Amino acid sequence: MKTLNEYMKMPYRMEIVEDTEEGGFVVSFPDLPGCLTVGNTVEEAIANARDAKRAWFEAAIESGVSITEPNSLEDYSGQFKLRLPRSLHRALAEHSKREGISMNQYCVYLLAKNDAMFTK
């Protein structure tokens, strides 16, 4: 098991979501279950998140809870192979040509746009 300071230096992913109902912002750490906090501003929420993360690690270490290390982007190449119907391939190629961008850029745009819709 690592020390508190070692865990605090690790790059855990932080998610910040605006709370449209109550106001302010909610911050969580997906790799640290139950570790979340709030703040009236983004800056306050981030400061509170550092404190919440420290308290979470302290409690986990004291209780002997296993702490998952953060996921790394190094685990992902940024590439994957996709098979699709020829008609869809043609449609994507035509749409990207009309937009004046590569089909790869067009597909990344479509995936990012769709992903953003489902992460809200």
Side-chain angles (χ1 to χ4, degrees):
M1 186 174 274
K2 295 182 177 6
T3 67
L4 174 62
N5 287 333
E6 289 172 323
Y7 282 119
M8 288 299 292
K9 291 178 184 176
M10 296 177 88
Y12 283 90
R13 184 169 51 102
M14 178 190 304
E15 291 185 353
I16 304 171
V17 178
E18 185 175 7
D19 186 344
T20 56
E21 292 180 16
E22 299 288 325
F25 297 86
V26 177
V27 180
S28 64
F29 294 90
D31 294 325
L32 307 175
C35 183
L36 61 101
T37 189
V38 297
N40 291 323
T41 65
V42 172
E43 294 79 12
E44 181 183 334
I46 291 171
N48 292 345
R50 287 187 196 105
D51 293 339
K53 185 169 71 167
R54 177 175 291 280
W56 192 96
F57 284 136
E58 287 171 345
I61 291 168
E62 184 178 311
S63 301
V65 171
S66 176
I67 300 173
T68 305
E69 293 193 10
N71 288 329
S72 170
L73 288 179
E74 293 174 8
D75 296 337
Y76 303 94
S77 68
Q79 299 178 23
F80 69 96
K81 190 172 187 173
L82 178 66
R83 297 195 183 278
L84 57 149
R86 291 176 188 220
S87 58
L88 179 56
H89 188 173
R90 180 184 63 214
L92 291 169
E94 290 171 353
H95 292 150
S96 63
K97 186 176 182 179
R98 274 198 300 272
E99 294 294 324
I101 58 177
S102 71
M103 193 172 84
N104 186 66
Q105 288 175 312
Y106 186 66
C107 289
V108 168
Y109 159 75
L110 292 175
L111 288 168
K113 180 179 172 186
N114 191 56
D115 186 57
M117 288 177 22
F118 287 100
T119 56
K120 290 186 177 181

